[in-house]
Amino acid sequence: MNPQTELTPESTVAEVQAALADAADEKILAVNLKHGNNIAVNLGIVRAIAKSLKSNHELAGVLWASQDPTTRLVAILICKPRLFTLEDLDRWLREETTPKVQDWLLSYVVKKSKHLEQARQSWIADPTPEVASAGWELTAYQVAKAPDVLDLPTLLDAIEAQMKHAPERLQWAMNNTLAAIGIECEPLRERAVRIGHELGVLADYPTSPGCTSPFAPVWIEEIVARRAAQQAG
């Protein structure tokens, strides 16, 4: 960060955006645009800027109002999740559908909110694919954290019927839920694997050496085997 734009908890929105502008890198932007993210700043720098500002819910709201995706990442990191109403969460989600911003909003705000399950139920059936994908991402999270609030067989029915032809982003979120069910719920594991094979979604996705394939049957098998080995050891 440029010394001229060092930030403190008293910094203004203009100063925050100046610091982000100083840190912008065209090479980072080019890489991020390939994934639909109009973000030109290294995420480590974004985190450092947020750390300098500390927790500040009022400033977070003003930063969010800037409509700039990178500035909104800072807003997410300094806001207070417990202060969000369900309506606030819904508004933020619908106002910014940049994938990375949505990912951070779910991870750092919605999952820490007392409205998580209400939001999940509201979003999962939304006609807007970006909103529905958020609902399915939260569902994948709940499979591991709170499976008792879910109807897992019905979720598998929906995945079986819809995932094959869903828009890409929604398809990924549904696939995450399919894998989560197969990994976390042994009684439904065989069915989850079968659905994955029958649909073939992400079966040919290129996977780097040492990384786990996103193809659900392979993903499930690898994580289950890894956990078994850890327990045996």
Side-chain angles (χ1 to χ4, degrees):
M1 203 186 310
N2 190 313
Q4 294 181 339
T5 55
E6 285 185 356
L7 302 173
T8 71
E10 290 71 40
S11 294
T12 65
V13 173
E15 289 169 337
V16 173
Q17 292 195 305
L20 291 171
D22 284 347
D25 185 324
E26 289 299 318
K27 293 180 180 179
I28 291 175
L29 177 62
V31 171
N32 286 336
L33 284 175
K34 294 178 181 179
H35 304 285
N37 297 304
N38 184 23
I39 296 169
V41 181
N42 179 282
L43 296 181
I45 294 177
V46 172
R47 294 181 188 279
I49 288 173
K51 185 176 180 180
S52 298
L53 298 172
K54 299 186 178 181
S55 179
N56 187 330
H57 196 72
E58 182 177 356
L59 178 59
V62 182
L63 291 173
W64 185 267
S66 72
Q67 300 186 15
D68 172 63
T70 312
T71 306
R72 284 178 162 178
L73 290 177
V74 177
I76 287 169
L77 293 176
I78 69 170
C79 73
K80 297 179 180 179
R82 62 183 175 80
L83 297 183
F84 279 79
T85 64
L86 181 60
E87 291 73 22
D88 292 332
L89 295 175
D90 189 73
R91 177 171 58 83
W92 277 37
L93 181 75
R94 293 178 189 276
E95 286 179 348
E96 180 60 72
T97 56
T98 299
K100 181 56 68 175
V101 180
Q102 186 181 73
D103 288 347
W104 280 28
L105 179 63
L106 295 180
S107 295
Y108 299 127
V109 182
V110 183
K111 290 177 182 178
K112 297 180 180 180
S113 166
K114 61 184 178 181
H115 306 296
L116 186 161
E117 180 56 22
Q118 286 177 280
R120 186 197 70 81
Q121 292 180 23
S122 173
W123 295 337
I124 193 170
D126 196 276
T128 305
E130 292 83 1
V131 176
S133 70
W136 279 99
E137 290 292 359
L138 292 178
T139 301
Y141 177 80
Q142 290 288 68
V143 169
K145 298 296 183 179
D148 291 345
V149 306
L150 305 174
D151 182 342
L152 298 181
T154 298
L155 288 171
L156 288 179
D157 291 343
I159 291 169
E160 191 168 24
Q162 302 169 26
M163 185 171 76
K164 181 76 171 180
H165 301 292
E168 182 179 8
R169 192 156 155 195
L170 177 55
Q171 188 179 68
W172 272 90
M174 297 179 83
N175 185 71
N176 289 344
T177 300
L178 176 63
I181 292 173
I183 291 166
E184 303 292 343
C185 183
E186 186 174 359
L188 293 175
R189 185 171 298 152
E190 183 177 347
R191 185 185 175 198
V193 170
R194 176 178 58 78
I195 290 172
H197 279 299
E198 289 178 352
L199 298 182
V201 172
L202 301 176
D204 299 323
Y205 191 83
T207 304
S208 301
C211 295
T212 301
S213 170
F215 180 46
V218 174
W219 186 357
I220 292 167
E221 180 182 6
E222 183 167 330
I223 298 303
V224 170
R226 189 182 304 170
R227 289 182 178 179
Q230 289 174 344
Q231 291 176 352

